Amino acid sequence: MSRIRKAAERGHFNHGWLDTYHTFSFGDYYDPAHMSFRSLRVFNDDRVQPGQGFGMHGHRDMEIVTYVLEGALEHKDSMGYGSIIRAGELQRMTAGTGVRHSEFNPSDTEWVHLYQIWLLPERKGLEPSYQELALGEDEKRGRFRLVASPDGADGSMTIHQDVCLFLASLLPGQSVGREIEPGRAAWLQVLQGSVNILGTTLSVGDGAAVTDENTLSVQAIVSSEVLLFDLA
């Protein structure tokens, strides 16, 4: 069974410097029907104007994953980390007992397009930490490439929750599948292109909550990229 979250139905705010879509309730967007999905609490689709960004601000008790699709994002935090995350790269930050950070678009000409994801941690009060992951296109071509997991398997980032994140890049007609263990669920987000799952077509920006299924098969209609969450 799947419950579809269409791109156009998400919360949307255009602040000029920031054009953002919220899959779940966040900030000024509140929808009691879309608060979270299992441990997946925030799923924001952000486009940030050149030279603009989020000033220094704080987080606590949250696992934060950022994936840059286009452009670059400059990160600085109170742990002493500072770097530029480029298209195709991810970062994971455990806010835990408290972290302050800023995120800016360092370009003078290009917008940055990113997804920022918040997951509830396995417990409160974790020690803050930070990781980055850069993937080659061939690593996710035609398969679900593990990018975050509880144990850091296969070179993935370590996330402090019983959830695994996968990326897959598919050519037209190409399929990829994932078994879903009893009691678990999946969230599939279309980052680029258009795919078919469980007899339903999903386009860029669409998401699907999948429950009570043993397997999930994804077939690309055009060249596509998807992000899959396997959640307890």
Side-chain angles (χ1 to χ4, degrees), residues 51-223:
Q52 299 293 318
F54 305 91
M56 192 65 70
H57 60 284
H59 297 286
R60 295 180 65 91
D61 294 320
M62 199 68 67
E63 298 290 291
I64 301 173
V65 175
T66 302
Y67 182 39
V68 177
L69 278 75
E70 297 175 288
L73 186 72
E74 184 174 3
H75 167 92
K76 294 181 181 178
D77 65 44
S78 56
M79 294 180 284
Y81 293 103
S83 62
I84 295 179
I85 312 301
R86 304 186 187 281
E89 300 178 352
L90 303 100
Q91 66 171 204
R92 187 273 305 164
M93 188 173 70
T94 294
T97 54
V99 168
R100 293 180 61 79
H101 75 142
S102 63
E103 299 162 297
F104 276 89
N105 181 353
S107 174
D108 294 328
T109 57
E110 296 182 356
W111 286 67
V112 58
H113 181 198
L114 63 111
Y115 271 89
Q116 186 162 103
I117 300 145
W118 295 8
L119 292 138
L120 300 173
E122 60 190 10
R123 60 182 173 85
K124 293 183 177 181
L126 293 167
E127 181 180 354
S129 60
Y130 179 85
Q131 277 182 291
E132 295 178 6
L133 179 64
L135 295 178
E137 184 66 24
D138 58 337
E139 293 185 68
K140 56 184 177 177
R141 176 67 68 193
R143 70 185 186 102
F144 279 127
R145 171 40 160 109
L146 185 65
V147 296
S149 64
D151 59 0
D154 299 330
S156 64
M157 301 182 298
T158 302
I159 199 111
H160 299 94
Q161 179 54 269
D162 187 2
V163 57
C164 291
L165 280 67
F166 301 86
L167 281 171
S169 183
L170 304 171
L171 297 172
Q174 198 167 30
S175 297
V176 64
R178 170 77 181 172
E179 291 188 8
I180 305 173
E181 294 181 2
R184 297 184 69 86
W187 181 278
L188 184 83
Q189 188 76 19
V190 182
L191 307 180
Q192 298 180 50
S194 180
V195 302
N196 184 281
I197 69 160
L198 302 173
T200 300
T201 298
L202 301 180
S203 299
V204 61
D206 292 348
V210 180
T211 56
D212 301 319
E213 296 286 344
N214 296 322
T215 60
L216 177 63
S217 179
V218 182
Q219 183 177 42
I221 298 169
V222 298
S223 293

Side-chain angles (χ1 to χ4, degrees), residues 6-19:
K6 299 297 289 184
E9 296 171 353
R10 298 175 294 176
H12 179 225
F13 297 90
N14 190 336
H15 304 287
W17 67 274
L18 170 67
D19 190 9

